């Protein structure tokens, strides 16, 4: 015990901060009172974001489109252990801070409210359902089933391939997606426009997490012999890593919020999110389309002309059974899972309605699918994680 205590004391000395900052830091939303006028807000936005607003007759700029007051942000930065994200839509910053730092912030005139991020662990609603390995013949048969159920052949005849549409994908990472032959066309043609790892605060999203690689292949991948898996092989993409595969923490919702604003400013038309939250975070009664912080962010995105497509969850066979946030919002396109051979709900897909009785899911798609693997090969996996991107591509 003595050695353990000495370790934390030494660590506090080495990093130049008091002991309570090492051991007692928690995460908070700090909401601000106002924003300053901005002479040229369009400088922060891709032209496609402005075109999208005009197409949907959304006024620009709204207060939520403007950056935070830089003086407020700088003052908070000097008052807390760390600023995580600036959230323009909520006029807030998320911070790591000690009790004493928060007590001091509560006396600051420009701080409207401080809300602690709920403690405890959360879980991704979209952990893949384990399946045994499949040989080439089994993969071919599965591919044909999912293609037939989606009627991809008929869609291909229309010539609609997603060209000109910008899709943001939020996930755990896109390990080796830049090296997989089934996704090579996206990189060769420059269709990956921007990437962001919100966990590591860097652009590289290709080192961690294979889940996103699988999801991306469901939207725009080519299976063997050039056969399309998804429907939007000519779309443009924004790739965001918002989750860790090592641990699950409430802060991942904060990354989701920041990624949503990033995607908006980058001009996304659609968000494909095979992620969601409920356990130790929200009760079923709170999944009413109004309370979860990610649900409120999804509502804001819809008001700005972005279609949010989200998995409904894999909780159908568990104690919870019901949907997860942000799929509970009535304006989010919540996607359930079916068997690829028979058009009935898969045994694991979550169910609706939301807590206010709104019908969910809105649509369903195959949830046992062929996907790209990070080793450059192909495999099969299961989960509404993969029904979601199939519908995104459609």
């Amino acid at each position: 015990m003595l050695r353990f205590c000495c370790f934390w004391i030494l660590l506090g000395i080495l990093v130049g901060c008091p002991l309570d900052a090492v051991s007692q830091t928690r995460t908070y939303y700090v909401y601000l009172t106002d924003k300053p006028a901005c002479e040229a807000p369009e400088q922060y936005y891709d032209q496609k974001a402005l075109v999208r607003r005009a197409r949907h007759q959304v006024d620009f700029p709204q207060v939520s489109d403007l950056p935070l007051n830089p003086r407020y942000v700088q003052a908070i930065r000097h008052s807390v252990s760390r600023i995580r994200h600036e959230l323009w839509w909520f006029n807030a910053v998320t911070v790591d801070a000690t009790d004493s730092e928060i007590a001091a912030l509560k006396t600051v005139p420009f701080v409207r409210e401080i809300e602690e991020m709920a403690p405890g662990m959360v879980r991704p609603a979209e952990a893949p359902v384990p399946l045994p390995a499949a040989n080439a013949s089994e993969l071919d048969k599965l591919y044909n089933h999912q293609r037939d159920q989606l009627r991809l052949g008929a869609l291909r005849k229309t010539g609609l391939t997603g060209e000109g549409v910008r899709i943001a994908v939020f996930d755990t990472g896109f390990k080796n997606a830049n090296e997989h032959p089934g996704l090579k066309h996206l990189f060769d043609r420059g269709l990956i426009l921007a990437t962001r790892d919100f966990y590591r605060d860097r652009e590289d999203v290709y080192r961690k997490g294979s889940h996103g690689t699988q999801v991306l292949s469901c939207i725009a991948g080519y299976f063997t012999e050039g056969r399309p898996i998804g429907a939007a092989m000519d779309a443009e993409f924004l790739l965001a890593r918002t989750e860790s595969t090592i641990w699950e923490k409430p802060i991942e919702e904060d990354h989701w919020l920041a990624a949503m604003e990033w995607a908006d400013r980058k001009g996304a038309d659609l968000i494909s999110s095979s992620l969601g939250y409920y356990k130790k975070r929200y009760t079923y009664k709170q999944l009413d389309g109004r309370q979860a912080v990610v649900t409120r962010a999804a509502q804001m995105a819809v008001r700005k002309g972005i279609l949010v497509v989200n998995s409904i969850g894999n909780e159908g066979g568990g104690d919870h059974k019901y949907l997860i946030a942000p799929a509970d919002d009535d304006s989010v396109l919540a996607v359930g899972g079916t068997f690829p051979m028979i058009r009935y709900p898969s045994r694991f897909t979550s169910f609706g309605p939301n807590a206010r009785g709104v019908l969910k899911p809105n649509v369903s798609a195959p949830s046992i699918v062929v996907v790209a693997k990070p080793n450059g090969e192909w495999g099969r996996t299961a989960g509404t994680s993969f029904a979601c991107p199939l519908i995104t591509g459609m």
Side-chain angles (χ1 to χ4, degrees):
M1 179 61 73
L2 179 61
R3 284 182 293 177
F4 180 79
C5 294
C6 290
F7 167 77
W8 284 110
I9 294 170
L10 179 60
L11 180 61
I13 295 172
L14 289 175
V15 301
C17 60
L19 180 60
D20 68 335
V22 175
S23 58
Q24 299 297 326
T25 297
R26 295 194 295 272
T27 304
Y28 298 84
Y29 295 103
V30 179
Y31 297 93
L32 309 177
T33 55
D34 61 279
K35 286 185 178 182
C38 183
E39 292 185 359
E42 62 276 3
Q43 67 182 297
Y44 300 104
Y45 290 82
D46 187 280
Q47 181 62 28
K48 193 169 177 64
L50 305 179
V51 170
R52 186 194 69 235
R53 281 170 165 75
R55 184 171 68 248
H56 292 284
Q57 300 180 346
V58 176
D59 292 337
F60 181 86
Q62 302 174 12
V63 173
S64 58
D65 296 319
L66 305 179
L68 306 184
N69 189 318
R71 292 189 299 107
Y72 294 172
V73 174
Q74 189 66 6
I76 293 173
R77 192 180 306 278
H78 290 304
S79 304
V80 299
S81 301
R82 176 190 177 192
I83 284 184
R84 286 184 171 272
H85 296 301
E86 298 181 26
L87 303 175
W88 295 9
W89 290 0
F90 294 92
N91 195 22
V93 292
T94 45
V95 303
D96 290 338
T98 64
D99 291 344
S100 59
E101 290 169 343
I102 289 300
L105 271 183
K106 288 180 178 179
T107 68
V108 175
F110 59 76
V111 173
R112 175 173 60 85
E113 181 183 357
I114 298 176
E115 176 187 359
E116 184 178 356
M117 187 172 292
M121 304 293 281
V122 298
R123 60 172 293 182
E126 297 313 314
V129 178
L131 288 177
N135 59 37
S137 175
E138 291 170 325
L139 290 178
D140 277 344
K141 186 179 295 185
L142 178 58
Y143 169 79
N144 289 328
H145 281 309
Q146 71 187 59
R147 178 182 172 86
D148 290 346
Q149 187 174 142
L150 292 168
R151 299 184 64 193
L152 275 183
L155 181 61
R156 290 281 288 174
K157 291 178 181 178
T158 69
L160 297 173
T161 59
E163 185 174 359
V165 178
R166 193 165 296 179
I167 302 172
V169 184
F170 299 171
D171 219 288
T172 63
F174 303 83
K175 187 175 181 180
N176 297 338
N178 53 338
E179 300 176 0
H180 198 286
L183 298 169
K184 185 174 183 293
H185 64 289
L186 298 178
F187 297 89
D188 288 348
R189 296 172 53 198
L191 295 175
I192 307 296
L193 301 186
T195 57
R196 190 70 193 165
D197 182 341
F198 287 87
Y199 240 105
R200 300 294 183 185
D201 193 23
R202 62 189 182 192
E203 293 186 0
D204 185 3
V205 297
Y206 304 119
R207 301 185 196 181
K208 304 282 187 179
S210 60
H211 191 270
T213 304
Q214 297 171 347
V215 164
L216 183 60
S217 71
C218 289
I219 303 175
Y222 282 102
F223 189 37
T224 56
E225 301 174 356
R227 294 173 288 175
I229 292 179
M233 61 289 300
D234 292 331
E236 302 169 338
F237 288 92
L238 309 167
L239 306 182
R241 179 179 181 247
T242 64
E243 297 260 333
S244 169
T245 55
I246 300 175
W247 54 67
E248 299 298 330
K249 296 182 178 181
I251 196 63
E252 294 181 332
E253 282 193 89
D254 190 42
H255 296 324
W256 201 94
L257 302 186
M260 185 67 81
E261 295 193 16
W262 172 80
D264 169 40
R265 293 198 282 272
K266 292 288 186 182
D269 297 299
L270 293 96
I271 305 292
S272 183
S273 169
S274 290
L275 306 167
Y277 308 91
Y278 86 92
K279 193 170 187 179
K280 293 187 179 180
R281 186 72 170 145
Y282 305 111
T283 65
Y284 174 68
K285 289 183 178 180
Q286 292 175 307
L287 298 175
D288 60 0
R290 296 178 178 177
Q291 298 191 50
V293 63
V294 286
T295 299
R296 302 201 307 268
Q299 290 172 345
M300 185 76 78
V302 171
R303 294 187 189 117
K304 296 178 185 297
I306 301 172
L307 175 61
V308 181
V309 187
N310 208 98
S311 304
I312 196 170
N314 297 334
E315 309 306 325
D319 295 336
H320 176 65
K321 189 175 85 169
Y322 291 106
L323 76 177
I324 41 78
D328 59 318
D329 180 44
D330 62 356
S331 297
V332 168
L333 189 64
V335 184
T338 62
F339 289 105
M341 295 73 72
I342 54 174
R343 297 173 189 183
Y344 286 91
S346 55
R347 60 179 175 80
F348 49 78
T349 187
S350 293
F351 292 89
N354 77 0
R356 290 175 52 238
V358 174
L359 180 68
K360 294 288 177 173
N362 303 101
V363 67
S364 293
S367 53
I368 303 173
V369 299
V370 174
V371 294
K373 297 171 63 177
N375 62 1
E377 298 179 357
W378 297 93
R380 68 179 175 187
T381 190
T384 57
S385 277
F386 311 107
C388 171
L390 289 175
I391 291 297
T392 298
M394 299 290 286

